[in-house]
Amino acid sequence: MSSTTPTIPDRLLALAADFTRHHDTLRDLALLRGPKPGSNLVQRVIPRPQALARSAMDVSDTVETMPRLYRSPEVKAAMERLAQLGALALLAADHILDAADLLLDGPPASGARQVAGYGTPLLEAGRRIVLARQLTSLGSEDCLATARLLAGELHAQQHLPIDHRPTGLSRTQLQALEAVAAGRVTLDRLQDRAHVRPDEFRLSISTVRSLETRGLVHRETCPLPLHDERLHLTPDGRTALTALFALPVATPRQARRSGVSTPPSTARPASRPAVSPARSATR
């Protein structure tokens, strides 16, 4: 189903998954443990938000240079979101760099006291990690909202050809695809259960398996306690969701005839105030 060259909404959905992976890494309880937590941050963590910022800017540049693209309010809003995503990722990288510096400059520690041995530097580094996590916590949601916005607008302006809407998906399956794209679905292997946020719909493991069978989602190891795996969209899953966003919403009668339910809305409030990075994430 997926094309050789990903569309702009496809790229945004892939970026959403990368924001989710980044956020999982920052929530990993083992992040600051071990004999060299500073080096761990430098090697394992810092490259990810820097890559997120580059990807957001690359997508923004692609939209900026599209020929014959009318700068509608939707396009302008999408570009503002992309600018914010890039700036927030750079700020997060900056805080992680500061945390790494604190730990690299801190006193050595060993044995059972290796974490406590850092004392104040470790506590301060932890605060910087929390700040980095807060700055990027809505990155996946923002990417999903921007993908929805651009898919509809680019299709309306004939910059995004879509042949057909995927058929045979229930409303719950559509909700699940969007929740997966936003980084909200994890799996508990022991209890064979799928987890979404408590205020959301109930997602059964049978729905997850039905999407896996169709090749729309796949599992990745998740570092969070009690969450063994996280669901991510496959390339075909991203293409399917882009098509659902781009094509006009079916009426209830059309939906019943085609076997497709009206896709649920995940629109977020208006863009947050733009944030400019205090300094570059690269030194």
Side-chain angles (χ1 to χ4, degrees), residues 5-76:
T5 302
T7 65
I8 290 174
D10 289 352
R11 290 167 61 183
L12 282 166
L13 294 174
L15 182 58
D18 287 339
F19 266 100
T20 298
R21 295 182 184 103
H22 161 71
H23 202 240
D24 282 349
T25 299
L26 293 183
R27 293 173 63 197
D28 187 353
L29 296 179
L31 186 62
L32 298 181
R33 299 182 185 275
K36 297 180 179 180
S39 298
N40 189 29
L41 288 176
V42 171
Q43 297 172 8
R44 177 185 170 195
V45 183
I46 291 173
R48 194 181 292 274
Q50 293 173 338
L52 292 174
R54 286 194 298 271
S55 295
M57 294 172 186
D58 286 345
V59 176
S60 180
D61 289 343
T62 301
V63 176
E64 177 79 26
T65 58
M66 286 186 69
R68 301 181 302 281
L69 178 66
Y70 170 61
R71 301 300 177 82
S72 64
E74 292 80 7
V75 170
K76 292 177 181 178

Side-chain angles (χ1 to χ4, degrees), residues 198-219:
D199 59 336
E200 289 195 277
F201 65 102
R202 290 179 58 85
L203 178 60
S204 68
I205 196 67
S206 61
T207 299
V208 170
R209 288 174 178 148
S210 69
L211 294 174
E212 288 179 309
T213 299
R214 296 185 64 151
L216 301 179
V217 300
H218 69 100
R219 308 183 186 201

Side-chain angles (χ1 to χ4, degrees), residues 74-202:
E74 292 80 7
V75 170
K76 292 177 181 178
M79 294 187 68
E80 288 178 2
R81 285 179 182 270
L82 288 167
Q84 291 170 6
L85 284 168
L88 291 171
L90 285 177
L91 280 173
D94 214 36
H95 283 302
I96 299 168
L97 279 166
D98 287 342
D101 286 345
L102 286 166
L103 296 175
L104 290 171
D105 293 340
S110 61
R113 297 175 59 82
Q114 62 187 6
V115 173
Y118 277 97
T120 302
L122 182 68
L123 293 175
E124 185 57 32
R127 294 189 189 100
R128 302 299 175 91
I129 296 299
V130 170
L131 283 172
R133 192 169 69 221
Q134 291 172 337
L135 285 168
T136 54
S137 63
L138 296 178
S140 300
E141 298 272 4
D142 282 341
C143 287
L144 176 63
T146 308
R148 175 191 289 278
L149 195 63
L150 278 177
E153 183 63 17
L154 293 178
H155 182 66
Q157 294 194 35
Q158 299 183 346
H159 289 286
L160 182 65
I162 301 290
D163 294 331
H164 63 279
R165 178 192 294 274
T167 58
L169 291 174
S170 68
R171 180 173 180 81
T172 299
Q173 288 173 319
L174 295 175
Q175 287 180 305
L177 282 179
E178 293 197 29
V180 169
R184 300 197 300 263
V185 182
T186 57
L187 303 175
D188 182 340
R189 284 198 302 264
L190 182 62
Q191 298 186 20
D192 200 24
R193 290 180 54 191
H195 294 285
V196 291
R197 290 192 308 213
D199 59 336
E200 289 195 277
F201 65 102
R202 290 179 58 85

